[in-house]
Structure formats: C-alpha cells, structure tokens
Amino acid sequence: MNASHTPRIDVMRSQLGRARGLGSAKTGVDHWWLERMSAVALVPLSGWFVLQVLRLAGAEQQDVVEWGGKPANASMLLALMILTFYHMQLGLQVIIDDYVHGKAHLPASLLLKGAALLIGLFAVIAVLKLALAPSTKAGA
Amino acid sequence: MQDVRDALYIGHRSDGTLTRRPMSPHLQVYRFRLSMFLSIANRAAGVAAAAGSALGVCWLNAASKGPESFKKVQKVTRNPLGKLALAGWTLALVYHFVAGLRHLAWDAGYRFEKKQINEDGPVAVGVTVGATLVLVASIFGVAACRSRKKKAS
C-alpha cells in the first residue's frame, strides 16, 4: 500500500454510514431467482394454455364446464393461475421498487401483494368450482 | 466540494479510495435505439398482460357461475372492442413471452454481446408480430367456425 495516499472524506457522512453503504443489499437474490423460475414454469404452461384457448374459442358455457371438470385440465389451470399471479406480483413489485420512493413504497407494495393474492384466490376458487361441480354429462 | 448535493455523488472504488460517481444524463439526450424500446416494451407488456389476465379470471368466474353470467361475458368477447382488447392482450402476452425467453437466455450467458443483442432485436419484433397475427387469426377463426356450426345444428 502507498503510505502517502490517505483517503480523505470531506463530506458530512459518518464512517458507520459509509460502511453501511458498502456491499450488496443482502436480499433480493430470492426475488430475482423466483421471478426467473416462475417464468421457466410458465413457458410450458403458456403453450398448454394456447392449445386450450384454441379448443375453447367460441365455446358455450356448457363446453367450458365439461372442459374444466376434467382433473387434468383443472390441475394445469390451477398451476397456470397460481404461477401467473405469483409472477405478476414479483414483476410489478420491481416496478414499484423502481418508481415509488419514500413513504409511499410500503403501502404500494402491500396493496399490490393484497390485490395479487385476492385475484389469485378468486381464480383458484373459480377453477375449483368448475372442477368440483357435479357433472352435467349424461350417464355420469 | 461546493454543493452539499455533491455528497450524494461520492462513491468508492473497489480499493476503497473515494471517487466522484458519474451522473447519468437525462433520457432525452440518447439517440433512439431499438433495444431501449424493446426493454421498456417488455415492462409495459408485462403490465398489460397482468391486466388482461385479471379480466381472464372474470371469464373463468362467469363460466363457473352459470350460463347467464357466461352470456354477459360473451357480449364483451364478441364485441369488436372486446375483440380488439383480446388481440391486444394476445400481443402483450406474446411479446412478454418472447422477451422473457431472451432474458432467460441472457441470464444463462447466451446472446448477451452488444452485437448479438442488436441482431436479435428485429428478430424478436418479427416473431412477436408473426405469432400474434397467427394466434389472433386462428383463435377468431376457430371461434367463428364453432359458433356458425352451433347455429346450423
């Protein structure tokens, strides 16, 4: 080390504050990683969803009930709904982190989490209602 | 140091010495690049896809509630404006999907050179537009055929 070179601080900033400002934020990897992993899971689920949309385009309510009553469809649909709204919450949280500063950050984040949770639950209940409805098919 | 605001621009080099951090110029000084548009478009598409998905849940809810609720939703999905919204939702989902695949590739260490990113941008636009057109045409086509068959029978 060069002994003549002494770092000089002429700002009103304590050494502790300076030390605290160093290094990573220690959190955030889990958020980043879960966003990627939910994205990876949504790739095949989206492919499945496109096929189902083509199957159900122009369908009547009865067709949808029959479709949703099949356990395989209901399982895929539940996975799709849960992962979609989870991924949505993770993504919108990043937007809030980027643009909402100060005191508004916490209420905005909580509002987003609450809304995402409620929409997700709503979707899950709707799928379960379709899945568990008594079959209208003759002979079932 | 003349201005107290300069304190916010003090940073540290990796060896611990102090440095004045560079200030980022405002957005409008940059020349327009496709990559910057595609980046913000991915975020916008994510928000639009989320809004559309929330509406999609309404469709699901109506289907589980009964034929009358479903008829109400069909009024929306068979309306020209409703169809436009569905096409917009499709575009947002397709672009977010394409851009998401690019992000996953970048995260895995592929195609992340500046040259490659500039090469892939127009491809992403082409794939998005093409896939959206094919999807929208086939979905509305299938829907039209099915409802015509229903009416005939």
Side-chain angles (χ1 to χ4, degrees):
Chain A
M1 286 293 285
N2 189 350
S4 67
H5 181 83
T6 320
R8 205 166 60 89
I9 293 186
D10 52 359
V11 279
M12 299 287 283
R13 197 173 178 197
S14 72
Q15 295 296 320
L16 179 63
R18 185 188 150 206
R20 277 184 178 155
L22 289 174
S24 75
K26 308 295 187 293
T27 61
V29 173
D30 57 339
H31 185 282
W32 185 89
W33 181 247
L34 289 168
E35 197 177 353
R36 308 298 134 155
M37 286 306 103
S38 53
V40 169
L42 280 167
V43 171
L45 284 171
S46 304
W48 173 83
F49 179 66
V50 168
L51 293 178
Q52 304 312 307
V53 168
L54 286 172
R55 234 171 102 180
L56 287 173
E60 293 300 323
Q61 193 254 354
Q62 214 181 329
D63 308 323
V64 182
V65 170
E66 203 181 297
W67 168 82
K70 288 180 182 145
N73 289 339
S75 311
M76 289 294 274
L77 201 51
L78 274 183
L80 178 70
M81 289 299 130
I82 292 168
L83 278 161
T84 295
F85 290 108
Y86 182 56
H87 186 78
M88 178 195 87
Q89 185 262 318
L90 291 172
L92 292 178
Q93 180 66 54
V94 178
I95 298 181
I96 289 179
D97 292 345
D98 279 355
Y99 302 130
V100 184
H101 303 294
K103 275 189 178 165
H105 182 265
L106 181 63
S109 306
L110 289 176
L111 203 67
L112 166 66
K113 284 195 170 70
L117 185 68
L118 281 178
I119 298 174
L121 277 177
F122 189 55
V124 167
I125 296 292
V127 175
L128 287 180
K129 189 160 179 251
L130 273 180
L132 304 176
S135 179
T136 50
K137 237 181 171 177
Chain B
M1 193 172 294
Q2 302 292 318
D3 196 314
V4 70
R5 281 172 297 186
D6 286 346
L8 295 170
Y9 287 102
I10 297 287
H12 304 270
R13 294 193 191 87
S14 54
D15 62 0
T17 54
L18 294 174
T19 181
R20 193 175 193 282
R21 291 193 286 121
M23 188 159 83
S24 178
H26 196 269
L27 200 63
Q28 68 211 22
V29 310
Y30 294 105
R31 192 156 48 106
F32 178 82
R33 304 272 80 187
L34 183 64
S35 56
M36 64 161 92
F37 170 73
L38 292 181
S39 170
I40 192 64
N42 185 33
R43 182 166 272 193
V47 174
S53 303
L55 289 176
V57 172
C58 296
W59 177 87
L60 208 57
N61 173 56
S64 75
K65 257 168 120 179
E68 276 149 51
S69 304
F70 199 72
K71 283 233 165 62
K72 274 182 209 159
V73 168
Q74 276 181 331
K75 262 187 199 156
V76 177
T77 55
R78 288 176 180 178
N79 183 291
L81 271 179
K83 278 184 181 169
L84 191 69
L86 282 175
W89 184 36
T90 311
L91 175 67
L93 281 174
V94 169
Y95 180 62
H96 199 65
F97 186 89
V98 170
L101 287 182
R102 288 182 80 200
H103 265 284
L104 289 174
W106 295 338
D107 293 339
Y110 299 103
R111 308 295 298 169
F112 201 51
E113 295 303 321
K114 193 175 158 191
K115 190 170 168 285
Q116 294 170 326
I117 287 176
N118 286 334
E119 281 167 5
D120 294 349
V123 178
V125 174
V127 169
T128 303
V129 172
T132 304
L133 287 178
V134 168
L135 267 180
V136 169
S138 46
I139 289 168
F140 288 150
V142 168
C145 285
R146 198 161 282 154
S147 41
R148 204 173 301 154
K149 232 184 258 169
K150 279 266 159 60
K151 261 178 208 157
S153 62

